[in-house]
Amino acid sequence: MLKPLGDRIVIEVVETEEKTASGIVLPDTAKEKPQEGRVVAVGAGRVLDNGQRVAPEVEVGDRIIFSKYAGTEVKYDGKEYLILRESDILAVIR
Amino acid sequence: MLKPLGDRIVIEVVETEEKTASGIVLPDTAKEKPQEGRVVAVGAGRVLDNGQRVAPEVEVGDRIIFSKYAGTEVKYDGKEYLILRESDILAVIR
Amino acid sequence: MLKPLGDRIVIEVVETEEKTASGIVLPDTAKEKPQEGRVVAVGAGRVLDNGQRVAPEVEVGDRIIFSKYAGTEVKYDGKEYLILRESDILAVIR
Amino acid sequence: MLKPLGDRIVIEVVETEEKTASGIVLPDTAKEKPQEGRVVAVGAGRVLDNGQRVAPEVEVGDRIIFSKYAGTEVKYDGKEYLILRESDILAVIR
Amino acid sequence: MLKPLGDRIVIEVVETEEKTASGIVLPDTAKEKPQEGRVVAVGAGRVLDNGQRVAPEVEVGDRIIFSKYAGTEVKYDGKEYLILRESDILAVIR
Amino acid sequence: MLKPLGDRIVIEVVETEEKTASGIVLPDTAKEKPQEGRVVAVGAGRVLDNGQRVAPEVEVGDRIIFSKYAGTEVKYDGKEYLILRESDILAVIR
Amino acid sequence: MLKPLGDRIVIEVVETEEKTASGIVLPDTAKEKPQEGRVVAVGAGRVLDNGQRVAPEVEVGDRIIFSKYAGTEVKYDGKEYLILRESDILAVIR
């Protein structure tokens, strides 16, 4: 299991289905970089200057929208993940 | 529903009607980038170094003026939104 | 009404009369960018790291000198305003 | 009267007499940018993160040395002033 | 023994076995820069502005994923190590 | 007298004697920029975010080593001085 | 004696013996910039925003590894030293 540190969050990128107007599924290079993901693991949160930790606002399983190009891609156990800082997450889809 | 994180705010951009002096409605590319929006969702606010959260000054439904080029465009449920930080919002129209 | 957020201030730019030595009023492009304004609306002030808000030092009606090129021009209700941060205001004229 | 905000200070630049070795007074363009001034007005001071204001170390009438190229030139009531931040003042001459 | 200072962590890089689809082991230059390591020594942690030290979240022996290109390579006692800041460690593998 | 503000320190640069191997004294342009000085005046110290002033670690008369190219040269009363921030002083020679 | 200020540390660089595989000692320009040193003097430590000084983690005599290219070279009493910030020291060798 991947346990992110501090304010880091591990996500799986969610491929959003993308078709042209005429219904043709686009090959990978013709699509925009995806912005959606599902939270896989959550760090303990960042430490404030008063010593307090701020628990992240997201939970495992949350579907999120994140900043394009944010984070670091890692491969673990044959699968690809993205490790973001919580501040790279824009919103949760509920 | 989109639930923004921290000090982020989700808005819908409000297209401001724009005519030339002679009353001709300008096509999209001839208009300035819009600066007005309506608040759709509000984050819980940023966390200060003393651990306190600062509730944003805007509420859902507020009509706002924001900094040009600020924020990230996202598409959700077929509609386009802009996710801003509260500090990108200049003023509320009341 | 425009209600600025945080430490932002809405001003009207004050055109300062400008004549050459021989008394000729200069056309607009020959003048320096104006630096004077009158305060139209005042935000609640910025929030310090201890959670306290700092009330701005200016009030509605104050005549001020501001940093050239600071702020964002906005048009509201047919009039032009400038939205500044309080720190862009150099001095009040009293 | 000009009342500077926060940690800002209004000064009059003091022209320091400058002659060449042979006693010729130099015309303006041949002189170095002046670094001396006299304090005309003092702001209330900057606000610390604990909410406390720090009173500036200079007083009206003080003769000071400031960083070259610092500050903003303003014209008020026919006279030229320089508005500096207190941190641009290097030393007081006593 | 190497005792890292502050929030620094000493790790050994873990070479991840890399074969092409046809089972050929790639020579070193054809491989990606490794991202996995094992923690060898842990600093006392960084000091917050309230004087408190934050103990690092990793322990000696932990297997970690770190940011590519982070840290400083050092040679000690004939072996190569990487000294990272804790914030360069993305996740622990548990 | 020059009274520096905040964490500023006034020093006189100490010219260190410099000869080539053959004993020839080098003219000014062939020498390295000097790094030694003697403290002439000391500011009250910088103000921390808790409102406390930190008294500088140097005293008038101290011989110091400072960062090359740091500070601002000022001429006062016919003599040349350098006004540094305390953080530009590397060490005291005792 | 050199007494460093704040969080500064004075070290002597330790030349690490460097031979090629065939046992030839390399001339100076063919060697990497050294990374090892011995602590000669230690500052009182940096001051936190709460007014507390943080005593450095190193002591006189410690053998250390530091960031390449960090610090300022100074010559004192015919010997060469390097003055670093404590944060440029990666680890102590114990």
Side-chain angles (χ1 to χ4, degrees), chain E residues 13-61:
Chain E
V13 172
V14 174
E15 299 291 338
T16 54
E17 211 182 302
E18 207 142 333
K19 298 184 188 179
T20 63
S22 57
I24 298 166
V25 176
L26 291 171
D28 203 67
T29 55
K31 288 195 293 187
E32 276 207 320
K33 228 178 131 45
Q35 279 189 300
E36 276 187 46
R38 198 180 314 267
V39 175
V40 167
V42 176
R46 70 184 171 102
V47 177
L48 298 177
D49 269 347
N50 69 357
Q52 189 183 329
R53 253 184 214 282
V54 185
E57 288 187 69
V58 296
E59 291 170 21
V60 171

Side-chain angles (χ1 to χ4, degrees), chain B residues 42-60:
Chain B
V42 176
R46 69 185 173 101
V47 177
L48 299 177
D49 268 346
N50 70 356
Q52 189 183 327
R53 253 185 215 280
V54 185
E57 289 187 68
V58 295
E59 293 170 18
V60 172

Side-chain angles (χ1 to χ4, degrees), chain C residues 19-70:
Chain C
K19 301 183 186 179
T20 62
S22 57
I24 298 167
V25 176
L26 291 171
D28 203 67
T29 54
K31 288 196 294 187
E32 276 207 321
K33 227 177 132 44
Q35 279 189 301
E36 276 187 48
R38 199 181 315 269
V39 174
V40 167
V42 176
R46 69 184 173 102
V47 177
L48 299 177
D49 268 346
N50 70 356
Q52 189 182 328
R53 252 185 216 280
V54 185
E57 289 188 69
V58 296
E59 293 169 19
V60 172
D62 277 353
R63 188 141 173 165
I64 58 144
I65 295 179
F66 60 91
S67 295
K68 276 180 201 176
Y69 312 114

